[in-house]
Amino acid sequence: MNGNTLIMVAFSISTVLLTPFAEELIFRGVLTNLFFKPNQFWWKIILSGVVFSLGHASTTLISFLIYFYMGGVLAFVYQKTGKIKNAIMLHALNNLVAIIEMLSLLN
């Protein structure tokens, strides 16, 4: 990626805009509403965190816990506000910070 600017731009756009939108619709929108009743607040958050972490192919306990926590936070935001766009924006912000850090390490 370091040598191809077009790939870096496409990857960055995907990571900051497309991925949060798709993942939030799947992990928070569909998953939490399909398997649980509206009053099962904490079960939705726990399942969302576990599936989000598994979906990111965590290979260590630390990475599993990081993704689990982030998935739980995103689910909490969605459940508390009732607006998927809030979780999408938070996810996009998280990914933006990660991309900026990654790009800074490449130079």
Side-chain angles (χ1 to χ4, degrees):
M1 287 192 313
N2 196 14
N4 192 325
T5 304
L6 181 60
I7 289 176
M8 277 309 288
V9 169
F11 178 74
S12 297
I13 290 171
S14 173
T15 300
V16 175
L17 299 176
L18 302 176
T19 301
F21 184 78
E23 286 185 352
E24 291 312 306
L25 289 178
I26 294 167
F27 292 120
R28 260 56 73 187
V30 173
L31 185 69
T32 60
N33 293 317
L34 187 62
F35 293 107
F36 294 100
K37 295 176 183 164
N39 63 343
Q40 295 177 306
F41 183 82
W42 290 108
W43 285 115
K44 290 179 179 188
I45 292 171
I46 292 168
L47 176 68
S48 184
V50 168
V51 173
F52 187 71
S53 189
L54 292 173
H56 284 83
S58 299
T59 56
T60 67
L61 179 60
I62 297 299
S63 68
F64 179 87
L65 293 173
I66 290 169
Y67 282 113
F68 172 79
Y69 177 77
M70 191 63 198
V73 167
L74 293 166
F76 183 85
V77 167
Y78 172 51
Q79 293 303 309
K80 275 300 210 186
T81 66
K83 297 179 190 234
I84 196 81
K85 71 178 183 178
N86 293 337
I88 292 170
M89 290 187 303
L90 181 59
H91 194 153
L93 178 63
N94 179 72
N95 287 6
L96 177 63
V97 170
I99 281 292
I100 290 170
E101 179 64 23
M102 186 184 79
L103 291 175
S104 74
L105 293 174
L106 291 176
N107 294 324

